[in-house]
Amino acid sequence: MKDNTNVDNQTIDTKKTFIFDENTCPVTATMKVLGGKWKPILINAIYFTAPARFGELKRSVIGITQSMLTQQLRELEDNGIISRKIYAEIPPKVEYTLTDFGLTLSPVIQTLAEWGKEYKLNKQKVQSK
């Protein structure tokens, strides 16, 4: 008769199998929101200057075109990261702020910034050898 108990010399295989693809990987979901050249810069700019106006962002984010700025802001708004408030005045006034959900990205962005600083230092050390 076979006993289903664990004998001392047997091991229980508790190793989990992870399957990653673009639809289930949480890192991919994060990078879809934060990915690209301009979104992290815009999130950082809005975080430090909120409420940020369109013209201020255009001037402070060097190299971004007006159409790219508009596109990136719309995507961030669609993803619930920023909110846009339109004032009914002439000329129209629009202000951008991080939503409560967008503010939860602050530690993520700060961690990425710290990692980026370490990466740059490490890269300089490697290149100077």
Side-chain angles (χ1 to χ4, degrees):
M1 182 167 183
K2 199 168 197 178
D3 191 4
N4 287 333
T5 60
N6 187 21
V7 180
D8 288 338
N9 63 352
Q10 291 179 326
T11 60
I12 299 172
D13 187 14
T14 59
K15 187 176 182 181
K16 293 182 181 180
T17 302
F18 294 100
I19 299 172
F20 294 101
D21 67 18
E22 64 182 306
N23 297 317
T24 61
C25 180
V27 175
T28 300
T30 304
M31 293 311 296
K32 283 183 179 181
V33 174
L34 294 180
K37 181 177 180 178
W38 301 111
K39 286 180 185 172
I41 296 169
L42 289 170
I43 292 168
N44 222 20
I46 294 169
Y47 177 77
F48 284 108
T49 63
R53 296 193 52 195
F54 186 89
E56 293 171 339
L57 291 170
K58 176 75 174 85
R59 285 187 296 277
S60 66
V61 179
I62 298 169
I64 194 167
T65 64
Q66 185 166 333
S67 62
M68 182 58 71
L69 177 58
T70 300
Q71 177 189 340
Q72 298 296 290
L73 290 171
R74 283 184 185 152
E75 288 178 17
L76 288 169
E77 186 179 8
D78 290 343
N79 287 321
I81 305 303
I82 64 171
S83 64
R84 180 176 69 162
K85 185 174 182 181
I86 304 168
Y87 294 89
E89 57 186 56
I90 298 178
K93 178 181 171 184
V94 179
E95 291 180 340
Y96 296 92
T97 56
L98 290 174
T99 62
D100 289 340
F101 183 62
L103 286 170
T104 64
L105 282 171
S106 180
V108 175
I109 297 290
Q110 294 305 316
T111 301
L112 286 170
E114 290 301 317
W115 188 90
K117 289 176 191 174
E118 291 295 321
Y119 170 75
K120 284 183 167 187
L121 288 172
N122 188 49
K123 191 173 179 179
Q124 286 175 346
K125 288 178 187 175
V126 169
Q127 289 176 346
S128 66
K129 286 184 180 181

